[in-house]
Amino acid sequence: MANIARSIRLKKNYILAVFAILLFLSFVFVNIGSGLLFGRKKADFTGDARYTLSEASRQIVSEINTPVYIRLYLSSAVSREYPALYQYSQTVLRRLETYRNQNPEMIQIEVKDPEPYGKIAEEAKAQGLKSFLSTDGQFELYFGAVFGNDNGDSRIIEQFSPGRAGYLENDISRTIAGLNNPLRTKIGILNGNLPISEKTYGQNKGNEWAFLKLLQNEYDVVPISSRMVEIPYDVETLLLISPANIPPLFAYALDQYLLRGGRVILFADPYSEIEAEIYGTASVNSGNINKTLKNWGASVDFNKVIGDPDISENIVATTDKGQRLQNRPTWLNLNKQHINQDLVFSKNIASVRLKSPGSIELQTKEHIKSTPLFSTTQNGNSIDTETLKLFGDQNFADEHRQYIIAALIEGTADSSYLHNPLDGTGFEEEMLPFLPTSIKEGKLLIIADSDILADSLWINEQISGDGGVYEQIPYTQNGELILRAVDYMTGAGNIAGLGSKQLSPELNSISREIYQRRLKPYLPEYESVKKLLEEKEKFVKTWNEVIQNNEAKLNMSVVKKLEQTRRDIEKIKEKQKQIEYRVRKETTAEIDAVIWINMAGIPALILFAVWIFCFIRTKRRSRKVREVINEYKIS
Amino acid sequence: MPIAFKTVFNKEFAGFFRSGNAYIVLGIYALLSFAATFYAGGYFSLDNTSLTSFFLYQPEILIVLLPAITMRSWTDERRQGTLEYLLTQPISYVSAVLAKFGAAWLFGLLMLSVSLPFWLLTSFLTPLDNLNILSSYLVCILIIGTFSALGCTVSAFNSNTVIAYIISIFVLWCLCNLNLDFLITPAENISDDVFVRVIRSLNFNKHYQDFVSGQIGLDNVIYFFSVMIPALWLNVIALEFKKK
C-alpha cells in the first residue's frame, strides 16, 4: 500500500513539475511575443509629455533619407560619480529610443562607454565631445552624442546638460535636421553698436553673445557691412541689429533686397540699455530706416519708449533707505497673452524679456499682410526717449493704450526710390538692375528692441559661462524666439515649430528648494552683503593691479585705505557666512523634520488608525455575539 | 461576489491583523521604504519630480516583505489541518485560491498606501509630475499582485511557514534578477535587433523602469499578468494534487 501511495505521490509531483515547466514556457513565449508585437508602442504617462515627439520632430524624423547612426558616449563612472547626471542620462536614452521607435529603419543607436584613458575616450575626444572631470578630478568623463549618416556628414551634441532638459527634443531634432540638410543656409548680420561678436571688436575670446552662438550652430553667419551697396543674393535672411544711422546706399540695398524677396529681421531700438551699460551712453537713432519701412506699411517711433505696469518687472534696488522692491515699467516680461501664438515660430513661446522697447505703427497696405507679434496690454504707456535717458522711467504720459512692440510683415511693396542712386556713375552696371516693385514676396520682422538679444535677459550666465550652445541654460525664451524666427524667415518652417518643453534653469533637488525657500527672508540682506563684497574686492583688485603695473605711486593714505578695505572684506565675509550658516541650519532642521514625519509620524498614525478600526470592529462583533447568546438564553 | 469567496477573503484578510503580523509588516515596510528613500535614494539631492527615490528600491523591499504575508496562506491551513475542511466546503479551488490571493494583494495595497501622505507632503516641497507618479504606483500595484500570486503558490507547495518564506524570497529574487542580459553587451542594450528585444522582453527591471519613467506599453502590463495568471493556476493545480 505504501509503495502505491508513494508511486501516486511521485506521479503527482512529476505531473506538477511538467505543468510548472509548461507554465514557465508559456510565460517566456507570451513575453517574447508581446515584446516583439507591442514593444515599440508606448503610452506617455508624464505630465510634460516627455516621450511624445512634437509634430515638427516627427516630420524631421520622417524626412530622414539616409540611415542616421547615433553614438551616445556615456562613461559608466557617471552613475557612481554624479547620480543626478546619471538619472538624466536615462532620460536622454529613453528620448533617443523614442526617436528610433519613430523611424526604426533609419535610426540606429549605439551606447559607448569611454573608459578613462581608453580607445573610446580618445575617439570621443577626437569627435569633439566635451569631457568633464570626475569628483576627485582624476578622470575625464563623457556624456555627449555623435550623429552621423552614410553620406559622411556628422553633427555632435558636445555634452548633455540636465539644465537643458526642456530643450532636449529641440537639440536632438535640430541635430537630425542638420543631417537631413547638411548644406548650411547663409544668413547675414549687420550690427550697429552692440559688441555681439569678437570679430566686431577684435577681442580674442568670450565676446560672442549667446544668440549668435545659437545661430552659428545652425547657419553660416556672415557679417554684412553698412558700406555695402548690395546685399549678397545668397544671404537668405538679414539681421539688422540696432542700426542707428543707415547710410543712404545701404538703405537702397535694403530696399532692393526686400523687393527681390529678401527676408529681414530688424531690431530697431529707441534706447539700447545694454549699449548704455557697456559704453556709458546709447547712440541716438536717426530713424532713417523708417523711409524703407514706409512702403511696407510700418514705422518705428524712436522718440518714445513703451512701458506697461501690468507686465513690468520688479527688481530689488539698493537705495539710501536700504533694500527696496522697485518697479521698472519699461522692463517688460511678456507672456503667452502678449505674444502671438498663431505664428509658427512664436507658438508656445511663453516668456520673453525686453528692456525699454519702442512701438511700431502699422498701416494697411494692399498686398501686405501685417501680423503683430508682441503687444502690451491696454494699460500701455509711453515716455519720451530723452526723458527716460536723463530722468529715469517714472514720468509716463497717461495714455493707457495697447502698443505693438514687434510685427511680422509679409507681401509685396513698391520701392522707396525712383531709380538707382548710383545711376550715371558707371557702378550701376555692376549692380543688379533697379526694381521699382517687388518681384517676389518679401518678409520683414520688426522687433522694436535690441536688448532682447543680450545674454543677461535670457540665459543664466553663471551656469552657462563661456560654453557652447549645449551648455546654455535659458530662463526665458528670447534666444529660442530669435532662432525660430530665423528658421521661419529662411524657409525652414518645420524646424521653426521646434520649441522647448519647459524652462528648467537648474536641477530641481528638494534640498535646493528648501534652501531657496529658507533663504528668501534673508535674500535682500544677503544680496546687499554680496554686492558690497564684490565692490570691495573689485576695489582691492584694481589697486593691486595698479600697484603691480607701477601705474600709481603708493602712499600712506592708499595703504591705509587698502588695509581698511581688506578688514571690511573680512567682516563682510563673516557676515555672509553667518547668513549662510543660519539658512543652512534652518534647511537641515526642515530636512530632519521631513524625515521624521515620513518615517515615524505618518506610519505611526496609520498603524494607530488601523488598530483602532480593528479594535472597534472586534468589539462590535463581540457585542453582537453576546446579544445572540443572550437572546438564545432568554428563548 | 460569491459568498464563499467573500467569506474566505474576509477570514484571510482579518487573519493578518488578528495575528499582529500586519502591524509589524506595515511598520517595517514604512521604515524600510523611507530609509531607502531618504538615505540611499538621494531624495534630497536628486530631481524628484517623479518620486524616483521612493520607487528606486520598492521591488527589493517588496521581495522581502510580501512573502511574510503570503507564507501563511496555505501552510497554516495545512499545519492546523483546516485545509481539508476548507476544501470540503461549497467553494471551488479557484475561488479559494483567488480569495487568498486577493486578500494578500489588498494587504499589499494597504501597505503601499502608507506612502500616499508622503506623495502629498512632497508636493508641498517641489512641483511633482503626478501622472508619472501614478504610473509608478500602478507598477507597484502590479508587482504586489505578481509577488502575492507567486508567494501564495510557493505556500501551497509547503507545509512549513519559514521554508515557504525563504523559498518565496528566493523565487521572487530570481524573477527580478535573473535575466539574459549577459548575452548582450551594454552597448547593444538599446539596439533594435530582434534578439536584443527578445532578451529585454524577459527582463523584470526593464518592465519596471518603463513604468517608473512613465513609458507604459501593453507588453509591460502583459509581463506582470503573464506571471500572475500561471502562478495562480499552478496554485490551484498544486491544491488539487497535494490534497490527501
Side-chain angles (χ1 to χ4, degrees):
Chain A
M1 277 301 281
N3 277 344
I4 294 168
R6 196 163 156 260
S7 143
I8 291 171
R9 205 166 56 239
L10 273 173
K11 202 175 174 184
K12 277 183 176 180
N13 284 345
Y14 174 74
I15 294 168
L16 259 178
V18 170
F19 191 72
I21 290 166
L22 283 174
L23 284 179
F24 177 73
L25 287 176
S26 76
F27 156 76
V28 170
F29 287 115
V30 163
N31 280 294
I32 288 174
S34 73
L36 292 175
L37 278 174
F38 312 115
R40 281 184 193 145
K41 291 169 192 137
K42 300 278 174 188
D44 190 345
F45 266 67
T46 55
D48 56 354
R50 217 172 298 154
Y51 307 110
T52 309
L53 292 185
S54 64
E55 187 54 48
S57 293
R58 280 205 294 272
Q59 200 183 332
I60 289 167
V61 172
S62 67
E63 282 171 5
I64 298 174
N65 40 31
T66 47
V68 171
Y69 306 100
I70 305 173
R71 283 196 302 279
L72 182 81
Y73 291 88
L74 173 63
S75 302
S76 53
V78 168
S79 63
R80 189 180 60 244
E81 301 275 330
Y82 299 101
L85 191 63
Y86 178 72
Q87 190 188 10
Y88 181 60
S89 73
Q90 298 311 299
T91 308
V92 173
L93 266 171
R94 283 187 175 271
R95 180 52 105 177
L96 289 173
E97 276 186 301
T98 317
Y99 277 85
R100 198 258 323 276
N101 292 345
Q102 194 69 34
N103 194 348
E105 282 78 34
M106 285 293 176
I107 298 180
Q108 284 180 32
I109 309 170
E110 191 185 357
V111 184
K112 290 193 164 192
D113 175 12
E115 280 185 38
Y117 311 113
K119 269 186 179 174
I120 301 175
E122 276 176 30
E123 185 185 302
K125 202 173 188 175
Q127 299 274 11
L129 298 195
K130 274 194 178 171
S131 62
F132 52 97
L133 290 175
S134 57
T135 44
D136 58 4
Q138 297 289 313
F139 312 111
E140 284 186 331
L141 307 174
Y142 290 89
F143 178 30
V146 178
F147 294 67
N149 63 14
D150 283 340
N151 299 337
D153 300 314
S154 75
R155 294 194 68 171
I156 57 165
I157 293 180
E158 301 141 1
Q159 197 179 314
F160 289 104
S161 161
R164 281 184 72 81
Y167 280 87
L168 183 59
E169 184 187 339
N170 182 67
D171 291 344
I172 297 172
S173 293
R174 279 187 182 277
T175 311
I176 294 173
L179 286 178
N180 287 349
N181 305 298
L183 289 176
R184 281 171 182 256
T185 311
K186 196 180 270 186
I187 62 166
I189 292 190
L190 186 144
N191 180 26
N193 290 320
L194 295 173
I196 60 161
S197 79
E198 58 192 50
K199 281 174 188 168
T200 313
Y201 284 85
Q203 290 183 12
N204 291 327
K205 57 171 185 173
N207 202 27
E208 280 191 339
W209 287 17
F211 89 92
L212 187 61
K213 287 182 193 168
L214 268 183
L215 294 178
Q216 284 168 340
N217 197 44
E218 304 291 328
Y219 294 96
D220 182 12
V221 183
V222 293
I224 299 289
S225 164
S226 61
R227 278 172 290 182
M228 283 180 172
V229 290
E230 212 166 64
I231 294 161
Y233 66 91
D234 57 346
V235 169
E236 294 281 343
T237 299
L238 174 66
L239 274 79
L240 278 176
I241 300 168
S242 204
N245 193 10
I246 290 182
L249 283 178
F250 186 79
Y252 171 74
L254 190 62
D255 176 87
Q256 293 294 300
Y257 178 70
L258 279 167
L259 298 182
R260 287 196 160 81
R263 298 121 205 196
V264 174
I265 302 178
L266 169 66
F267 299 90
D269 200 350
Y271 174 42
S272 169
E273 290 206 25
I274 298 299
E275 192 186 338
E277 207 174 279
I278 296 169
Y279 303 115
T281 179
S283 43
V284 179
N285 204 308
S286 69
N288 62 354
I289 188 85
N290 277 333
K291 195 186 164 195
T292 311
L293 301 181
K294 194 181 163 192
N295 282 8
W296 290 87
S299 67
V300 180
D301 188 350
F302 289 99
N303 298 318
K304 302 274 184 197
V305 165
I306 301 309
D308 188 336
D310 292 352
I311 46 174
S312 60
E313 288 189 15
N314 290 318
I315 58 159
V316 179
T318 314
T319 62
D320 301 340
K321 291 168 189 169
Q323 300 281 322
R324 288 248 171 123
L325 205 63
Q326 206 176 61
N327 182 258
R328 299 300 305 267
T330 58
W331 290 14
L332 305 183
N333 200 341
L334 306 178
N335 55 40
K336 269 189 173 177
Q337 286 162 342
H338 313 104
I339 302 167
N340 191 335
Q341 297 293 312
D342 298 329
L343 294 169
V344 181
F345 63 91
S346 59
K347 196 175 180 185
N348 294 327
I349 296 276
S351 171
V352 169
R353 285 181 76 206
L354 307 172
K355 275 185 178 178
S356 54
S359 63
I360 300 165
E361 287 294 331
L362 297 173
Q363 292 105 39
T364 316
K365 287 254 176 190
E366 213 179 338
H367 309 303
I368 284 177
K369 185 186 161 202
S370 305
T371 319
L373 175 63
F374 301 155
S375 53
T376 64
T377 65
Q378 294 294 343
N379 255 345
N381 287 316
S382 70
I383 183 171
D384 189 65
T385 308
E386 288 307 311
T387 312
L388 174 74
K389 283 180 186 173
L390 295 170
F391 305 109
D393 56 7
Q394 303 302 319
N395 305 311
F396 275 91
D398 200 18
E399 291 167 326
H400 299 289
R401 56 166 280 210
Q402 191 173 34
Y403 286 97
I404 295 169
I405 302 171
L408 174 70
I409 296 160
E410 295 165 293
T412 54
D414 294 331
S415 172
S416 317
Y417 296 82
L418 295 172
H419 57 84
N420 186 339
L422 291 177
D423 270 354
T425 60
F427 283 112
E428 79 275 15
E429 286 163 20
E430 291 169 31
M431 295 168 71
L432 291 166
F434 169 72
L435 289 180
T437 187
S438 289
I439 54 166
K440 200 176 165 192
E441 190 181 85
K443 283 180 185 164
L444 176 62
L445 174 64
I446 310 170
I447 299 173
D449 186 40
S450 61
D451 299 314
I452 187 175
L453 302 168
D455 294 3
S456 57
L457 265 71
W458 65 280
I459 63 164
N460 194 327
E461 290 167 282
Q462 277 181 339
I463 301 175
S464 305
D466 299 330
V469 167
Y470 301 109
E471 286 164 73
Q472 289 179 1
I473 314 289
Y475 66 90
T476 65
Q477 290 165 292
N478 293 24
E480 183 188 330
L481 178 91
I482 293 157
L483 180 60
R484 286 171 63 183
V486 173
D487 293 334
Y488 174 75
M489 298 298 254
T490 49
N494 57 343
I495 308 175
L498 283 172
S500 58
K501 290 256 177 197
Q502 60 173 44
L503 292 167
S504 50
E506 287 169 52
L507 183 73
N508 293 323
S509 74
I510 289 172
S511 59
R512 188 189 285 269
E513 300 256 358
I514 295 174
Y515 185 84
Q516 295 295 340
R517 191 155 33 82
R518 291 284 166 186
L519 182 68
K520 233 177 196 170
Y522 301 98
L523 203 59
E525 190 187 351
Y526 186 75
E527 286 292 330
S528 75
V529 167
K530 206 172 143 187
K531 208 172 172 185
L532 200 63
L533 185 68
E534 278 170 9
E535 279 169 18
K536 299 262 180 197
E537 279 178 339
K538 200 177 172 187
F539 175 81
V540 172
K541 197 183 162 193
T542 314
W543 267 102
N544 281 341
E545 279 172 9
V546 167
I547 293 163
Q548 272 176 7
N549 298 336
N550 289 328
E551 288 169 11
K553 280 192 177 172
L554 210 58
N555 58 35
M556 272 317 283
S557 67
V558 173
V559 171
K560 271 184 184 172
K561 181 121 197 227
L562 272 174
E563 274 309 303
Q564 183 57 42
T565 314
R566 282 197 188 107
R567 275 198 294 274
D568 288 348
I569 287 174
E570 287 307 311
K571 275 183 194 167
I572 295 166
K573 274 186 178 168
E574 201 159 307
K575 200 173 177 190
Q576 199 180 17
K577 274 181 192 164
Q578 270 176 8
I579 298 171
E580 280 170 1
Y581 175 73
R582 246 182 290 164
V583 176
R584 221 171 293 138
K585 203 175 161 189
E586 284 179 20
T587 308
T588 314
E590 190 171 336
I591 285 174
D592 286 344
V594 169
I595 292 174
W596 278 106
I597 287 170
N598 282 299
M599 278 186 72
I602 292 169
L605 269 175
I606 290 175
L607 283 178
F608 185 67
V610 171
W611 181 78
I612 288 281
F613 176 77
C614 290
F615 182 75
I616 292 169
R617 201 160 168 254
T618 316
K619 282 276 168 193
R620 200 182 288 164
R621 281 197 170 176
S622 308
R623 200 172 59 231
K624 270 187 187 169
V625 169
R626 267 201 306 275
E627 279 170 11
V628 170
I629 292 169
N630 285 343
E631 273 174 23
Y632 176 74
K633 275 181 184 171
I634 291 163
S635 67
Chain B
M1 200 188 294
I3 292 172
F5 172 87
K6 203 176 162 187
T7 312
V8 176
F9 177 86
N10 285 343
K11 176 196 158 263
E12 190 70 17
F13 191 69
F16 297 141
F17 293 92
R18 263 200 302 277
S19 64
N21 226 0
Y23 301 102
I24 296 167
V25 173
L26 275 174
I28 292 176
Y29 172 76
L31 202 73
L32 280 179
S33 287
F34 293 121
T37 306
F38 295 127
Y39 299 112
Y43 175 74
F44 293 104
S45 57
L46 291 181
D47 178 6
N48 253 304
T49 46
S50 315
L51 292 184
T52 321
S53 304
F54 176 76
F55 293 105
L56 200 60
Y57 294 105
Q58 280 305 301
E60 285 79 3
I61 292 166
L62 293 172
I63 283 176
V64 179
L65 289 181
L66 271 174
I69 292 299
T70 56
M71 66 184 181
R72 287 165 180 263
S73 52
W74 295 110
T75 50
D76 266 14
E77 300 277 5
R78 194 166 283 142
R79 195 165 46 86
Q80 290 162 3
T82 50
L83 181 64
E84 281 71 24
Y85 171 73
L86 176 71
L87 297 177
T88 50
Q89 295 299 308
I91 179 170
S92 67
Y93 286 164
V94 175
S95 288
V97 167
L98 285 179
K100 283 185 179 276
F101 159 71
W105 198 350
L106 186 69
F107 181 79
L109 298 189
L110 182 74
M111 205 161 79
L112 192 64
S113 68
V114 174
S115 66
L116 293 179
F118 165 72
W119 180 0
L120 187 74
L121 272 178
T122 308
S123 70
F124 293 119
L125 298 173
T126 186
L128 293 178
D129 184 346
N130 291 318
L131 197 60
N132 197 167
I133 295 171
L134 209 64
S135 108
S136 302
Y137 269 106
L138 192 64
V139 72
C140 284
I141 292 169
L142 288 173
I143 286 180
I144 290 169
T146 308
F147 287 6
S148 300
L150 281 170
C152 288
T153 308
V154 170
S155 169
F157 278 94
N158 288 282
S159 47
N160 186 312
T161 316
V162 178
I163 290 174
Y165 177 69
I166 292 167
I167 294 176
S168 292
I169 289 180
F170 177 71
V171 170
L172 298 184
W173 181 86
C174 286
L175 175 76
C176 295
N177 294 289
L178 284 189
N179 52 55
L180 302 170
D181 277 6
F182 58 89
L183 293 174
I184 50 173
T185 61
E188 288 173 327
N189 201 26
I190 62 166
S191 155
D192 199 41
D193 289 347
V194 172
F195 178 66
V196 175
R197 285 168 64 194
V198 165
I199 299 289
R200 290 176 74 200
S201 65
L202 297 170
N203 188 331
F204 171 89
N205 201 37
K206 185 249 168 197
H207 293 285
Y208 180 66
Q209 285 306 328
D210 278 356
F211 270 97
V212 169
S213 58
Q215 266 190 310
I216 310 177
L218 204 55
D219 59 323
N220 304 127
V221 180
I222 288 173
Y223 175 84
F224 291 104
F225 282 102
S226 73
V227 181
M228 227 183 285
I229 295 166
L232 291 173
W233 195 359
L234 193 63
N235 193 344
V236 174
I237 304 291
L239 280 186
E240 281 180 7
F241 276 54
K242 289 268 174 177
K243 71 178 177 186
K244 282 177 187 170

